[in-house]
Amino acid sequence: MKIPRAQRGRKWGVALAVATMIGGLTAATQNPAIAATPPLQSIVPVPVSVQAAAGVTFPLVASTKIYTEAGSAPAKEVGDYLAAILRKSTGFALPVADAPATPAADGITLLLNGAPANVGQQGYQLVSTATTVVVRAITADGLFGGVQTLRQLLPGKIESATVQTGPWAIPGATILDYPRFAYRGAMLDVARHFHPVASVKRYIDQLAQYKINNLHLHLADDQGWRIQIDSWPRLATYGGSTQVGGGAGGYYTKAQYSDIVAYAASRHITIIPEIDMPGHTNAAQASYAELNCNGVAPPLRTDIEVGYSSLCISKDITYQFVSDVIREISALTPGPYFHIGGDEAAATPPADYLTFINKILPIVAANGKQATGWHDIAKATLPANATPQFWGTTTSDSGVSNAVSRGSKVILSPANKAYLDMKYNASSPIGLSWAGYIEVQDAYNWNPGAYLSGVGESAVRGVESPLWTETVKNSADIEYLAFPRLSAHAELGWSPWSTHDWNTFKVRLGAQAPRWKAQAINFYASGQVPWDNGGVPGTCTQPAWNASSIYTGGNVVSHNGHKWTAKWWTQGEEPGTTGEWGVWRDDGSC
């Protein structure tokens, strides 16, 4: 709860001031919302430049239209996407039409001309006035990114699936924005627990909101094989028949996988398929005995152990298998990358591991793809276009730095910073903790451009947030672990390092809460973040404070079995600087 403005800046050293503050509230008005952060100060990821036009707003009303670059199908697709979102919550028709030569005074205009050159291939310029909103970009990717920012300039309830009451006002501003890194990714493990097409699409929509442009799908592991391969059909039908804990598992047909790829493309996200090898292959080895050196198929596994499986490096059939799998999946995947895994291959002797990697890299290239793999693959001599993905918990790796010296770029996913499956704290109901606990501030406070020794900013392709699913069974579990940390990683990948500041980020992050609630996202309400409840006063079941209640000295009041503490909530600062006095109950409510 916030303290009235007239009382801010006073240093309260006695309990009476706190008691008076609480005593003046009724049970119905205790715990009012943290005031909604002004839209231009609540964008995630934070833009490169925002210039506000004081006192200016553009009203989104029933007669508003959406205009797109005349004759441009990609621009129209972005316009249709925006209209579909806004129609649900506003109830407005929002027709999409070709833009006139001069931006019309009754609409939102999306143009592929006139953008400043420095927005590059993924950036945009957004200018909102009292009569128009114009987003300009060089590419449709840039327009799509601008639309994500535009969504955040409207109240969070704009994301609702049902009609809400307005008014809908877009603040006047000029925003110039472009990404720090071209690659901003997330990884979803569908092998440990299978996640159906609808769940993957839901996650894609959530990723797109924060300008994430790559989704890495971990399609096979010891516990399950999740994609149809025509030349090796038992991989899916048998290898995909179970999952961690012994559930029914599942797999994507080629048509379903293609549907995911197309849906992601409509959200300007590239799918990167991963087949982990030579380890993490028990599901494949259980499906085909010939992939084992002893010719005996092991049983399917539903535990979460790692490091025990390996393809047979000396057999020719192994490379026929690898070639067929890469060929069939590559044919369905238009993106430039194929992820070969390569991690935790403890059951593969080091010399055999190098032999295997050196044999499959040309297979990837022959199918028109660039190889990506967990940073273990950097033990081999990689071509310059291969990308090691660092997942370690240290800040140096000789293999990675050697690969960089030969021209490779690196994707940063340090497990103790970027792994979304790590628990927030000891009380987290799902997740693992082998890399440590990762609270929101931990996820945010690291610099990808200066994290690994020998890997400077120019050698970083981007940041990726992996979500392994040993404990993750459904979309609610995905969301709990991903949000809010995914948004922190998105800002690391997009925003200039000069803007990096936890104290301002946590307030902008807190402003996302009404949006997530409107979308029914099951986010973790971290106590590190001042969450905005949309400006609606909360309710409190405790009776009103009264003069006969017991209270303690200092800035703490006790009443009816609970304690209320007054503190400076934004930055821990002294009164007179940026921040506000607030009062919190010991359980975080009221």
Side-chain angles (χ1 to χ4, degrees):
M1 133 182 130
K2 283 192 176 178
I3 306 307
R5 185 172 299 277
Q7 296 180 0
R8 296 177 196 160
R10 294 170 54 194
K11 191 166 185 176
W12 298 343
V14 296
L16 181 59
V18 181
T20 301
M21 169 187 63
I22 297 177
L25 301 177
T26 66
T29 59
Q30 288 179 24
N31 191 32
I34 294 172
T37 306
L40 291 173
Q41 300 172 24
S42 59
I43 302 169
V44 176
V46 66
V48 172
S49 171
V50 178
Q51 296 178 333
V56 174
T57 59
F58 172 85
L60 182 66
V61 295
S63 60
T64 300
K65 298 179 177 63
I66 294 177
Y67 297 100
T68 62
E69 181 79 22
S72 170
K76 186 177 185 304
E77 288 174 4
V78 177
D80 288 339
Y81 164 86
L82 175 61
I85 291 170
L86 301 183
R87 285 169 184 155
K88 292 177 183 178
S89 53
T90 65
F92 301 156
L94 298 171
V96 179
D98 282 351
T102 301
D106 62 345
I108 298 168
T109 302
L110 309 178
L111 298 175
L112 290 172
N113 69 73
N118 60 348
V119 303
Q121 294 298 297
Q122 296 182 28
Y124 63 92
Q125 179 194 63
L126 188 157
V127 179
S128 52
T129 70
T131 57
T132 63
V133 176
V134 181
V135 182
R136 296 180 184 270
I138 295 172
T139 68
D141 286 344
L143 277 186
F144 190 79
V147 161
Q148 306 316 313
T149 296
L150 178 60
R151 290 168 68 179
Q152 292 192 37
L153 297 183
L154 288 159
K157 62 184 178 180
I158 200 72
E159 306 295 342
S160 178
T162 59
V163 175
Q164 305 293 305
T165 56
W168 310 104
I170 296 170
T174 297
I175 298 175
L176 181 70
D177 204 11
Y178 46 85
R180 180 185 184 188
F181 299 115
Y183 183 103
R184 301 168 307 282
M187 186 279 284
L188 181 62
D189 169 18
V190 297
R192 269 50 178 275
H193 278 99
F194 180 65
H195 296 274
V197 172
S199 296
V200 178
K201 287 183 175 180
R202 178 172 170 84
Y203 198 41
I204 286 170
D205 281 331
Q206 293 163 356
L207 300 177
Q209 290 186 85
Y210 294 97
K211 302 181 179 71
I212 291 170
N213 62 351
N214 291 273
L215 175 58
H216 164 188
L217 289 177
H218 185 79
L219 291 167
D221 212 297
D222 292 314
Q223 300 86 355
W225 185 283
R226 305 304 181 200
I227 186 166
Q228 175 186 356
I229 302 295
D230 292 338
S231 54
W232 299 76
R234 275 176 56 84
L235 290 172
T237 58
Y238 183 69
S241 65
T242 191
Q243 60 186 8
V244 167
Y251 65 90
Y252 307 121
T253 66
K254 285 190 168 182
Q256 289 173 323
Y257 177 78
S258 294
D259 183 34
I260 290 172
V261 169
Y263 190 83
S266 75
R267 270 59 178 163
H268 295 257
I269 289 175
T270 298
I271 294 295
I272 300 169
E274 179 191 353
I275 300 297
D276 205 346
M277 47 192 171
H280 289 280
T281 51
N282 191 77
Q285 292 174 266
S287 302
Y288 287 96
E290 56 266 44
L291 297 178
N292 299 274
C293 286
N294 62 3
V296 177
L300 293 170
R301 295 278 293 257
T302 62
D303 57 356
I304 62 172
E305 294 300 316
V306 299
Y308 58 84
S309 60
S310 177
L311 294 171
C312 190
I313 308 305
S314 61
K315 280 188 169 184
D316 290 341
I317 192 67
T318 295
Y319 303 99
Q320 184 61 55
F321 161 76
V322 170
S323 181
D324 289 340
V325 168
I326 293 176
R327 171 178 51 81
E328 292 195 33
I329 297 176
S330 294
L332 302 173
T333 312
Y337 306 111
F338 193 102
H339 202 295
I340 59 175
D343 64 318
E344 298 178 320
T348 309
D352 284 355
Y353 181 87
L354 295 179
T355 296
F356 180 81
I357 297 299
N358 288 330
K359 282 190 174 184
I360 68 171
L361 287 172
I363 296 173
V364 174
N367 283 278
K369 303 299 180 186
Q370 298 174 37
T372 302
W374 301 109
H375 75 263
D376 312 57
I377 68 170
K379 297 171 185 174
T381 301
L382 301 178
N385 68 352
T387 303
Q389 181 172 355
F390 180 76
W391 63 277
T393 58
T394 64
T395 55
S396 65
D397 185 272
S398 59
V400 173
S401 57
N402 288 338
V404 166
S405 70
R406 294 190 296 268
S408 286
K409 290 184 180 291
V410 180
I411 294 172
L412 271 296
S413 300
N416 55 337
K417 299 290 186 181
Y419 269 31
L420 296 176
D421 54 298
M422 292 299 106
K423 293 185 174 185
Y424 294 96
N425 52 54
S427 299
S428 298
I430 56 173
L432 303 175
S433 58
W434 62 266
Y437 301 127
I438 305 177
E439 250 292 358
V440 185
Q441 187 171 5
D442 302 316
Y444 183 74
N445 274 346
W446 61 286
N447 182 0
Y451 188 77
L452 274 182
S453 300
V455 182
E457 176 113 359
S458 63
V460 175
R461 189 178 300 281
V463 178
E464 184 176 293
S465 309
L467 179 49
W468 303 99
T469 63
E470 287 92 340
T471 66
V472 177
K473 299 177 181 179
N474 50 45
S475 285
D477 291 347
I478 292 172
E479 292 160 11
Y480 177 81
L481 291 173
F483 291 93
R485 293 180 295 193
L486 184 74
S487 300
H489 297 153
E491 179 148 311
L492 290 175
W494 180 276
S495 302
W497 181 247
S498 61
T499 66
H500 187 88
D501 179 77
W502 165 250
N503 287 318
T504 59
F505 172 73
K506 68 182 180 182
V507 178
R508 288 185 288 107
L509 184 63
Q512 305 302 304
R515 201 165 305 279
W516 295 346
K517 289 176 182 178
Q519 296 170 320
I521 292 177
N522 181 40
F523 69 96
Y524 162 66
S526 170
Q528 295 183 336
V529 178
W531 297 104
D532 175 9
N533 73 2
V536 179
T539 58
C540 180
T541 58
Q542 292 293 321
W545 180 87
N546 62 69
S548 63
S549 296
I550 298 171
Y551 58 92
T552 62
N555 63 341
V556 178
V557 171
S558 63
H559 166 56
N560 213 22
H562 288 283
K563 291 182 179 180
W564 284 261
T565 304
K567 51 189 175 182
W568 196 249
W569 72 267
T570 59
Q571 299 180 28
E573 299 168 339
E574 286 300 308
T577 57
T578 303
E580 301 183 60
W581 278 106
V583 175
W584 283 262
R585 202 172 79 170
D586 51 13
D587 62 1
S589 65
C590 300

